[in-house]
Amino acid sequence: MNPDDIGEPSSQINAVRLPPMAALRCFEAAARLESFSRAAEALHLTHGAISRAVRLVEDELDVALFERRSRRVFLTDAGRKLATAVREGFALVEAAVREIREEARGLPS
């Protein structure tokens, strides 16, 4: 089964091809921490893994998300826009997961 074929033909899921969620997770950590090294530590990955994941997202979108200067990284306008959206999206998923777990345990939400 091709993941791009899931849903109705007019479904929003088919509207835009998203970068891989794991790569977006790496991007979000790097954006939040303003450092590939600190993102790597936070996610228990290597600096190279974070760098490759961010590059994958940049390649998928065909835009630079970070400006790389010396050993520091700074979000571009596109990077800030994506970081906000990814952060909000992950927050929604986290809230739903928390609510589902509480309901499964019989706890009031």
Side-chain angles (χ1 to χ4, degrees), residues 17-40:
R17 180 178 164 188
L18 297 176
M21 290 298 128
L24 287 172
R25 184 173 175 239
C26 292
F27 162 73
E28 188 282 327
R32 178 172 30 89
L33 299 169
E34 298 178 326
S35 165
F36 288 11
S37 295
R38 288 192 306 220

Side-chain angles (χ1 to χ4, degrees), residues 19-109:
M21 290 298 128
L24 287 172
R25 184 173 175 239
C26 292
F27 162 73
E28 188 282 327
R32 178 172 30 89
L33 299 169
E34 298 178 326
S35 165
F36 288 11
S37 295
R38 288 192 306 220
E41 289 174 20
L43 297 177
H44 304 288
L45 296 171
T46 64
H47 180 280
I50 298 295
S51 181
R52 285 187 297 277
V54 168
R55 180 67 65 199
L56 175 67
V57 177
E58 289 177 323
D59 289 348
E60 284 272 334
L61 300 178
D62 197 29
V63 64
L65 299 172
F66 288 95
E67 184 179 329
R68 293 150 173 91
R69 285 188 247 154
S70 301
R71 294 181 159 238
R72 300 203 48 209
V73 293
F74 302 90
L75 284 169
T76 62
D77 288 341
R80 276 189 290 284
K81 184 177 201 171
L82 184 61
T84 298
V86 170
R87 199 171 296 121
E88 290 172 358
F90 284 167
L92 284 172
V93 172
E94 288 169 8
V97 167
R98 186 173 27 260
E99 186 177 316
I100 291 165
R101 285 182 175 154
E102 288 171 356
E103 290 171 0
R105 291 187 204 123
L107 301 173
S109 43

